[in-house]
Amino acid sequence: MKKNLTSTLLLLILSVTDAYMLAHPNLIGRLGILFYKHDYLKTFPRALATVGLVVGISLLICEVVRIKTAPRLAAWWYLMLMVLGMALFAHVYVTFSSFSYSLTGKSFIYGAHLLPIILIGLFTKYFITALFEARKNPGV
């Protein structure tokens, strides 16, 4: 129970930090948010709702996979989700390495990188748990 509470608290702190960082770009970043119509990042409550929704849906998917599938199959699902998270991180890295996005401010850039890292960590946690569960019950 304590391990679960600790990881949930860490997930909550990282999500709030990410939303704060995404909601506070510099002046060029604010103009980019207006120009590209990223209304979901304009204010801290909107960014928090966006990050919370992404992390919440990812957590819901992980829990549904954990409950509805066998541990060995669940490990494959989590591995696929981890790879998708890594692909998202690579996309964000390449996107924010371009000249126009590199001017948006370090806080915004780090916030954009933090969300895929949160998802990769979440999927990795469930992947490792599923591997241990599959090893404990090899017949399932």
Side-chain angles (χ1 to χ4, degrees):
M1 179 68 178
K2 187 176 182 180
K3 243 195 250 186
N4 211 5
L5 179 66
T6 305
S7 62
T8 304
L9 186 62
L10 178 64
L11 189 63
L12 181 67
I13 289 170
L14 284 174
S15 297
V16 170
T17 303
D18 187 37
Y20 181 81
M21 291 166 65
L22 286 172
H24 292 89
N26 63 9
L27 181 61
I28 294 173
R30 289 196 184 280
L31 292 174
I33 287 174
L34 290 173
F35 182 73
Y36 292 112
K37 301 202 185 326
H38 294 304
D39 293 334
Y40 50 90
L41 298 176
K42 255 186 195 173
T43 63
F44 175 68
R46 286 183 180 185
L48 185 61
T50 302
V51 171
L53 195 63
V54 170
V55 172
I57 289 173
S58 299
L59 189 60
L60 180 69
I61 290 170
C62 287
E63 283 296 318
V64 166
V65 168
R66 184 182 63 83
I67 292 169
K68 297 288 184 183
T69 61
R72 193 170 267 173
L73 181 60
W76 284 106
W77 276 103
Y78 299 138
L79 183 63
M80 180 192 66
L81 290 169
M82 275 176 30
V83 169
L84 286 174
M86 289 176 193
L88 178 63
F89 180 77
H91 172 71
V92 167
Y93 180 79
V94 168
T95 300
F96 281 90
S97 295
S98 69
F99 178 72
S100 59
Y101 280 105
S102 65
L103 299 175
T104 59
K106 292 296 180 191
S107 174
F108 188 77
I109 292 171
Y110 293 155
H113 285 84
L114 183 58
L115 185 58
I117 290 172
I118 292 170
L119 297 179
I120 292 168
L122 178 69
F123 299 143
T124 303
K125 175 192 176 287
Y126 275 91
F127 175 69
I128 291 170
T129 304
L131 284 180
F132 282 127
E133 188 68 30
R135 181 171 275 181
K136 195 184 328 177
N137 300 326
V140 178

PDB file of all heavy atoms in Angstrom, residues 88-109:
ATOM      1  N   LEU A  88       6.946   9.158 -28.892  1.00  0.00           N
ATOM      2  CA  LEU A  88       6.430  10.496 -28.606  1.00  0.00           C
ATOM      3  C   LEU A  88       7.538  11.397 -28.078  1.00  0.00           C
ATOM      4  O   LEU A  88       7.646  12.558 -28.470  1.00  0.00           O
ATOM      5  CB  LEU A  88       5.288  10.422 -27.592  1.00  0.00           C
ATOM      6  CG  LEU A  88       4.671  11.735 -27.151  1.00  0.00           C
ATOM      7  CD1 LEU A  88       4.020  12.457 -28.324  1.00  0.00           C
ATOM      8  CD2 LEU A  88       3.683  11.504 -26.036  1.00  0.00           C
ATOM      9  N   PHE A  89       8.385  10.853 -27.219  1.00  0.00           N
ATOM     10  CA  PHE A  89       9.511  11.632 -26.711  1.00  0.00           C
ATOM     11  C   PHE A  89      10.457  12.030 -27.836  1.00  0.00           C
ATOM     12  O   PHE A  89      10.925  13.171 -27.889  1.00  0.00           O
ATOM     13  CB  PHE A  89      10.272  10.858 -25.635  1.00  0.00           C
ATOM     14  CG  PHE A  89      11.444  11.613 -25.086  1.00  0.00           C
ATOM     15  CD1 PHE A  89      11.259  12.636 -24.187  1.00  0.00           C
ATOM     16  CD2 PHE A  89      12.735  11.314 -25.490  1.00  0.00           C
ATOM     17  CE1 PHE A  89      12.334  13.355 -23.681  1.00  0.00           C
ATOM     18  CE2 PHE A  89      13.815  12.013 -25.004  1.00  0.00           C
ATOM     19  CZ  PHE A  89      13.617  13.041 -24.093  1.00  0.00           C
ATOM     20  N   ALA A  90      10.739  11.106 -28.737  1.00  0.00           N
ATOM     21  CA  ALA A  90      11.622  11.414 -29.870  1.00  0.00           C
ATOM     22  C   ALA A  90      11.001  12.501 -30.745  1.00  0.00           C
ATOM     23  O   ALA A  90      11.704  13.412 -31.200  1.00  0.00           O
ATOM     24  CB  ALA A  90      11.889  10.157 -30.687  1.00  0.00           C
ATOM     25  N   HIS A  91       9.689  12.425 -30.964  1.00  0.00           N
ATOM     26  CA  HIS A  91       9.004  13.449 -31.760  1.00  0.00           C
ATOM     27  C   HIS A  91       9.091  14.822 -31.077  1.00  0.00           C
ATOM     28  O   HIS A  91       9.382  15.819 -31.734  1.00  0.00           O
ATOM     29  CB  HIS A  91       7.548  13.056 -31.975  1.00  0.00           C
ATOM     30  CG  HIS A  91       6.731  14.122 -32.615  1.00  0.00           C
ATOM     31  ND1 HIS A  91       6.875  14.476 -33.935  1.00  0.00           N
ATOM     32  CD2 HIS A  91       5.776  14.932 -32.104  1.00  0.00           C
ATOM     33  CE1 HIS A  91       6.038  15.459 -34.214  1.00  0.00           C
ATOM     34  NE2 HIS A  91       5.360  15.751 -33.117  1.00  0.00           N
ATOM     35  N   VAL A  92       8.860  14.854 -29.781  1.00  0.00           N
ATOM     36  CA  VAL A  92       8.938  16.126 -29.042  1.00  0.00           C
ATOM     37  C   VAL A  92      10.366  16.659 -29.078  1.00  0.00           C
ATOM     38  O   VAL A  92      10.583  17.862 -29.270  1.00  0.00           O
ATOM     39  CB  VAL A  92       8.444  15.941 -27.581  1.00  0.00           C
ATOM     40  CG1 VAL A  92       8.795  17.129 -26.724  1.00  0.00           C
ATOM     41  CG2 VAL A  92       6.954  15.700 -27.564  1.00  0.00           C
ATOM     42  N   TYR A  93      11.349  15.783 -28.923  1.00  0.00           N
ATOM     43  CA  TYR A  93      12.747  16.213 -28.948  1.00  0.00           C
ATOM     44  C   TYR A  93      13.102  16.832 -30.293  1.00  0.00           C
ATOM     45  O   TYR A  93      13.706  17.905 -30.362  1.00  0.00           O
ATOM     46  CB  TYR A  93      13.674  15.033 -28.639  1.00  0.00           C
ATOM     47  CG  TYR A  93      15.123  15.411 -28.649  1.00  0.00           C
ATOM     48  CD1 TYR A  93      15.688  16.059 -27.553  1.00  0.00           C
ATOM     49  CD2 TYR A  93      15.928  15.151 -29.748  1.00  0.00           C
ATOM     50  CE1 TYR A  93      17.025  16.431 -27.555  1.00  0.00           C
ATOM     51  CE2 TYR A  93      17.253  15.519 -29.756  1.00  0.00           C
ATOM     52  CZ  TYR A  93      17.799  16.153 -28.663  1.00  0.00           C
ATOM     53  OH  TYR A  93      19.105  16.529 -28.674  1.00  0.00           O
ATOM     54  N   VAL A  94      12.714  16.179 -31.371  1.00  0.00           N
ATOM     55  CA  VAL A  94      13.022  16.693 -32.716  1.00  0.00           C
ATOM     56  C   VAL A  94      12.266  17.993 -32.967  1.00  0.00           C
ATOM     57  O   VAL A  94      12.818  18.957 -33.504  1.00  0.00           O
ATOM     58  CB  VAL A  94      12.696  15.629 -33.788  1.00  0.00           C
ATOM     59  CG1 VAL A  94      12.726  16.217 -35.186  1.00  0.00           C
ATOM     60  CG2 VAL A  94      13.656  14.460 -33.680  1.00  0.00           C
ATOM     61  N   THR A  95      11.010  18.044 -32.558  1.00  0.00           N
ATOM     62  CA  THR A  95      10.204  19.246 -32.771  1.00  0.00           C
ATOM     63  C   THR A  95      10.778  20.440 -32.029  1.00  0.00           C
ATOM     64  O   THR A  95      10.897  21.532 -32.584  1.00  0.00           O
ATOM     65  CB  THR A  95       8.750  19.000 -32.316  1.00  0.00           C
ATOM     66  OG1 THR A  95       8.209  17.917 -33.071  1.00  0.00           O
ATOM     67  CG2 THR A  95       7.900  20.230 -32.530  1.00  0.00           C
ATOM     68  N   PHE A  96      11.138  20.261 -30.779  1.00  0.00           N
ATOM     69  CA  PHE A  96      11.625  21.378 -29.979  1.00  0.00           C
ATOM     70  C   PHE A  96      13.106  21.662 -30.190  1.00  0.00           C
ATOM     71  O   PHE A  96      13.651  22.564 -29.562  1.00  0.00           O
ATOM     72  CB  PHE A  96      11.310  21.161 -28.500  1.00  0.00           C
ATOM     73  CG  PHE A  96       9.887  21.493 -28.179  1.00  0.00           C
ATOM     74  CD1 PHE A  96       8.904  20.537 -28.259  1.00  0.00           C
ATOM     75  CD2 PHE A  96       9.532  22.779 -27.824  1.00  0.00           C
ATOM     76  CE1 PHE A  96       7.588  20.851 -27.988  1.00  0.00           C
ATOM     77  CE2 PHE A  96       8.220  23.103 -27.551  1.00  0.00           C
ATOM     78  CZ  PHE A  96       7.244  22.129 -27.635  1.00  0.00           C
ATOM     79  N   SER A  97      13.757  20.912 -31.067  1.00  0.00           N
ATOM     80  CA  SER A  97      15.126  21.238 -31.446  1.00  0.00           C
ATOM     81  C   SER A  97      15.162  22.198 -32.626  1.00  0.00           C
ATOM     82  O   SER A  97      16.210  22.749 -32.946  1.00  0.00           O
ATOM     83  CB  SER A  97      15.892  19.963 -31.804  1.00  0.00           C
ATOM     84  OG  SER A  97      16.019  19.160 -30.662  1.00  0.00           O
ATOM     85  N   SER A  98      14.003  22.370 -33.287  1.00  0.00           N
ATOM     86  CA  SER A  98      13.965  23.297 -34.417  1.00  0.00           C
ATOM     87  C   SER A  98      14.086  24.729 -33.916  1.00  0.00           C
ATOM     88  O   SER A  98      13.838  25.029 -32.744  1.00  0.00           O
ATOM     89  CB  SER A  98      12.675  23.114 -35.217  1.00  0.00           C
ATOM     90  OG  SER A  98      11.568  23.553 -34.475  1.00  0.00           O
ATOM     91  N   PHE A  99      14.411  25.637 -34.799  1.00  0.00           N
ATOM     92  CA  PHE A  99      14.714  27.015 -34.409  1.00  0.00           C
ATOM     93  C   PHE A  99      13.516  27.726 -33.784  1.00  0.00           C
ATOM     94  O   PHE A  99      13.633  28.337 -32.734  1.00  0.00           O
ATOM     95  CB  PHE A  99      15.221  27.795 -35.619  1.00  0.00           C
ATOM     96  CG  PHE A  99      15.497  29.234 -35.297  1.00  0.00           C
ATOM     97  CD1 PHE A  99      16.591  29.581 -34.521  1.00  0.00           C
ATOM     98  CD2 PHE A  99      14.643  30.224 -35.742  1.00  0.00           C
ATOM     99  CE1 PHE A  99      16.844  30.903 -34.206  1.00  0.00           C
ATOM    100  CE2 PHE A  99      14.895  31.556 -35.436  1.00  0.00           C
ATOM    101  CZ  PHE A  99      15.994  31.893 -34.670  1.00  0.00           C
ATOM    102  N   SER A 100      12.348  27.628 -34.416  1.00  0.00           N
ATOM    103  CA  SER A 100      11.208  28.404 -33.920  1.00  0.00           C
ATOM    104  C   SER A 100      10.752  27.931 -32.541  1.00  0.00           C
ATOM    105  O   SER A 100      10.416  28.738 -31.680  1.00  0.00           O
ATOM    106  CB  SER A 100      10.043  28.344 -34.911  1.00  0.00           C
ATOM    107  OG  SER A 100       9.640  27.008 -35.106  1.00  0.00           O
ATOM    108  N   TYR A 101      10.747  26.617 -32.307  1.00  0.00           N
ATOM    109  CA  TYR A 101      10.332  26.116 -31.002  1.00  0.00           C
ATOM    110  C   TYR A 101      11.408  26.313 -29.939  1.00  0.00           C
ATOM    111  O   TYR A 101      11.099  26.351 -28.757  1.00  0.00           O
ATOM    112  CB  TYR A 101       9.963  24.636 -31.075  1.00  0.00           C
ATOM    113  CG  TYR A 101       8.586  24.400 -31.626  1.00  0.00           C
ATOM    114  CD1 TYR A 101       8.403  23.932 -32.917  1.00  0.00           C
ATOM    115  CD2 TYR A 101       7.464  24.642 -30.855  1.00  0.00           C
ATOM    116  CE1 TYR A 101       7.147  23.708 -33.431  1.00  0.00           C
ATOM    117  CE2 TYR A 101       6.205  24.418 -31.348  1.00  0.00           C
ATOM    118  CZ  TYR A 101       6.047  23.949 -32.643  1.00  0.00           C
ATOM    119  OH  TYR A 101       4.794  23.739 -33.141  1.00  0.00           O
ATOM    120  N   SER A 102      12.655  26.427 -30.349  1.00  0.00           N
ATOM    121  CA  SER A 102      13.718  26.596 -29.361  1.00  0.00           C
ATOM    122  C   SER A 102      13.672  27.979 -28.712  1.00  0.00           C
ATOM    123  O   SER A 102      14.317  28.206 -27.693  1.00  0.00           O
ATOM    124  CB  SER A 102      15.081  26.353 -29.997  1.00  0.00           C
ATOM    125  OG  SER A 102      15.359  27.342 -30.968  1.00  0.00           O
ATOM    126  N   LEU A 103      12.893  28.888 -29.273  1.00  0.00           N
ATOM    127  CA  LEU A 103      12.770  30.230 -28.715  1.00  0.00           C
ATOM    128  C   LEU A 103      11.626  30.363 -27.706  1.00  0.00           C
ATOM    129  O   LEU A 103      11.386  31.447 -27.189  1.00  0.00           O
ATOM    130  CB  LEU A 103      12.554  31.250 -29.849  1.00  0.00           C
ATOM    131  CG  LEU A 103      13.675  31.341 -30.879  1.00  0.00           C
ATOM    132  CD1 LEU A 103      13.271  32.286 -32.004  1.00  0.00           C
ATOM    133  CD2 LEU A 103      14.955  31.803 -30.235  1.00  0.00           C
ATOM    134  N   THR A 104      10.911  29.284 -27.422  1.00  0.00           N
ATOM    135  CA  THR A 104       9.737  29.369 -26.561  1.00  0.00           C
ATOM    136  C   THR A 104      10.064  29.420 -25.070  1.00  0.00           C
ATOM    137  O   THR A 104       9.167  29.587 -24.265  1.00  0.00           O
ATOM    138  CB  THR A 104       8.784  28.181 -26.799  1.00  0.00           C
ATOM    139  OG1 THR A 104       9.482  26.974 -26.551  1.00  0.00           O
ATOM    140  CG2 THR A 104       8.251  28.199 -28.209  1.00  0.00           C
ATOM    141  N   GLY A 105      11.286  29.258 -24.700  1.00  0.00           N
ATOM    142  CA  GLY A 105      11.671  29.313 -23.289  1.00  0.00           C
ATOM    143  C   GLY A 105      11.946  27.935 -22.738  1.00  0.00           C
ATOM    144  O   GLY A 105      11.302  26.960 -23.113  1.00  0.00           O
ATOM    145  N   LYS A 106      12.912  27.870 -21.845  1.00  0.00           N
ATOM    146  CA  LYS A 106      13.335  26.580 -21.291  1.00  0.00           C
ATOM    147  C   LYS A 106      12.240  25.895 -20.484  1.00  0.00           C
ATOM    148  O   LYS A 106      12.093  24.682 -20.541  1.00  0.00           O
ATOM    149  CB  LYS A 106      14.582  26.762 -20.421  1.00  0.00           C
ATOM    150  CG  LYS A 106      15.813  27.149 -21.207  1.00  0.00           C
ATOM    151  CD  LYS A 106      16.205  26.054 -22.152  1.00  0.00           C
ATOM    152  CE  LYS A 106      17.440  26.460 -22.913  1.00  0.00           C
ATOM    153  NZ  LYS A 106      17.725  25.561 -24.022  1.00  0.00           N
ATOM    154  N   SER A 107      11.459  26.661 -19.747  1.00  0.00           N
ATOM    155  CA  SER A 107      10.392  26.066 -18.934  1.00  0.00           C
ATOM    156  C   SER A 107       9.398  25.324 -19.818  1.00  0.00           C
ATOM    157  O   SER A 107       9.017  24.181 -19.530  1.00  0.00           O
ATOM    158  CB  SER A 107       9.689  27.154 -18.127  1.00  0.00           C
ATOM    159  OG  SER A 107       8.581  26.628 -17.449  1.00  0.00           O
ATOM    160  N   PHE A 108       8.971  25.956 -20.888  1.00  0.00           N
ATOM    161  CA  PHE A 108       8.003  25.341 -21.800  1.00  0.00           C
ATOM    162  C   PHE A 108       8.604  24.113 -22.481  1.00  0.00           C
ATOM    163  O   PHE A 108       7.950  23.078 -22.608  1.00  0.00           O
ATOM    164  CB  PHE A 108       7.548  26.370 -22.837  1.00  0.00           C
ATOM    165  CG  PHE A 108       6.424  25.891 -23.701  1.00  0.00           C
ATOM    166  CD1 PHE A 108       5.126  25.864 -23.221  1.00  0.00           C
ATOM    167  CD2 PHE A 108       6.658  25.481 -24.999  1.00  0.00           C
ATOM    168  CE1 PHE A 108       4.082  25.425 -24.016  1.00  0.00           C
ATOM    169  CE2 PHE A 108       5.623  25.044 -25.805  1.00  0.00           C
ATOM    170  CZ  PHE A 108       4.332  25.017 -25.308  1.00  0.00           C
ATOM    171  N   ILE A 109       9.851  24.225 -22.898  1.00  0.00           N
ATOM    172  CA  ILE A 109      10.515  23.103 -23.572  1.00  0.00           C
ATOM    173  C   ILE A 109      10.669  21.921 -22.616  1.00  0.00           C
ATOM    174  O   ILE A 109      10.374  20.777 -22.975  1.00  0.00           O
ATOM    175  CB  ILE A 109      11.874  23.542 -24.143  1.00  0.00           C
ATOM    176  CG1 ILE A 109      11.663  24.526 -25.286  1.00  0.00           C
ATOM    177  CG2 ILE A 109      12.694  22.349 -24.605  1.00  0.00           C
ATOM    178  CD1 ILE A 109      12.929  25.193 -25.782  1.00  0.00           C
TER     179      ILE A 109
END
